[in-house]
């Protein structure tokens, strides 16, 4: 068995790079910001891998680091040291979306705007559950919450998104 850490890390990155990028991208919206946060995520994963608890989901651990990096980047953009999952500022996610959204797809634009209007906790719960199909338990690990709170945030987010889409018709 080859115990080459660099090769193992390359395999880990190959498995997680795309889902981590899109998770971050959904939060920060801009491609360049998502790339920066993703790069910092994997640097932090590599440097702190010895602290990974094998009893928890590797994906949840990596996505937790990615979520924190995305929030740190958004907080810096807002002029703060760090952004909290409790942040509810309306203008927090009003960011130029470069080519993230195909503006010819009216429904995709409406959905994206509805998601970006959510408080951070609901947005993260919705994105991880809906797009990444993560369990409530893993999302709870990522957000430092409980599965019950994550479930409530997800369902509240769904309700707000549906209402937002109905009112924008």
């Amino acid at each position: 068995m080859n115990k080459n850490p660099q090769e193992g890390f390359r395999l880990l990155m190959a498995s997680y790079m795309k889902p981590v990028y899109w998770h971050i991208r959904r939060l920060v919206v801009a491609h360049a910001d998502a790339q920066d946060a993703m790069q910092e995520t994997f640097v932090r994963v590599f440097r702190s891998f010895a602290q990974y608890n094998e009893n928890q989901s590797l994906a949840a651990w990596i996505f937790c680091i990615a979520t924190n990096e995305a929030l740190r980047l958004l907080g810096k953009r807002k002029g703060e040291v760090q952004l909290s999952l409790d942040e509810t500022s309306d203008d927090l996610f009003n960011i130029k979306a470069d080519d993230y959204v195909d503006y010819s797809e009216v429904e995709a634009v409406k959905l994206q705007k509805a998601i970006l209007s959510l408080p951070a906790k609901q947005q993260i719960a919705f994105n991880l559950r809906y797009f990444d199909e993560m369990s409530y338990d893993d999302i709870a690990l990522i957000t430092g919450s409980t599965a019950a709170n994550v479930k409530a945030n997800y369902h509240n987010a769904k309700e707000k998104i549906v209402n937002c889409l109905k009112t924008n018709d």
Side-chain angles (χ1 to χ4, degrees):
M1 176 189 257
N2 183 0
K3 293 190 177 188
N4 181 342
Q6 284 79 19
E7 181 59 28
F9 188 70
R10 275 193 286 279
L11 292 171
L12 179 111
M13 280 188 65
S15 295
Y16 286 97
M17 187 176 289
K18 189 173 182 178
V20 165
Y21 168 82
W22 282 107
H23 169 63
I24 294 170
R25 179 81 185 258
R26 287 183 202 104
L27 296 173
V28 302
V29 181
H31 170 70
D33 289 343
Q35 283 187 315
D36 290 346
M38 183 184 68
Q39 183 177 22
E40 186 60 30
T41 294
F42 284 107
V43 167
R44 289 180 188 256
V45 165
F46 185 77
R47 288 182 180 160
S48 60
F49 201 76
Q51 296 150 357
Y52 166 65
N53 178 353
E54 293 179 18
N55 295 323
Q56 82 180 69
S57 160
L58 179 61
W61 183 69
I62 292 170
F63 274 75
C64 181
I65 294 169
T67 300
N68 289 335
E69 281 306 309
L71 292 174
R72 184 188 59 74
L73 181 75
L74 288 170
K76 203 179 350 177
R77 181 182 298 139
K78 199 173 174 196
E80 299 173 357
V81 175
Q82 187 172 1
L83 184 68
S84 163
L85 284 176
D86 296 319
E87 183 67 54
T88 58
S89 174
D90 289 336
D91 63 351
L92 179 62
F93 297 106
N94 291 336
I95 303 160
K96 184 177 179 333
D98 53 49
D99 61 353
Y100 177 47
V101 177
D102 179 358
Y103 288 95
S104 67
E105 294 288 329
V106 175
E107 294 303 315
V109 172
K110 287 180 183 179
L111 176 62
Q112 184 62 26
K113 284 183 178 181
I115 293 169
L116 291 174
S117 73
L118 298 170
K121 278 185 179 180
Q122 291 177 8
Q123 188 180 144
I124 291 167
F126 181 82
N127 286 342
L128 290 171
R129 181 76 176 156
Y130 182 80
F131 292 111
D132 298 308
E133 300 177 350
M134 288 197 165
S135 71
Y136 292 117
D137 290 331
D138 280 350
I139 298 169
L141 284 171
I142 292 166
T143 59
S145 187
T146 65
N149 283 343
V150 168
K151 197 175 216 179
N153 280 320
Y154 175 72
H155 289 289
N156 287 335
K158 275 195 334 186
E159 193 173 297
K160 287 179 182 178
I161 289 168
V162 167
N163 288 338
C164 187
L165 293 177
K166 283 180 182 177
T167 59
N168 290 328
D169 279 343

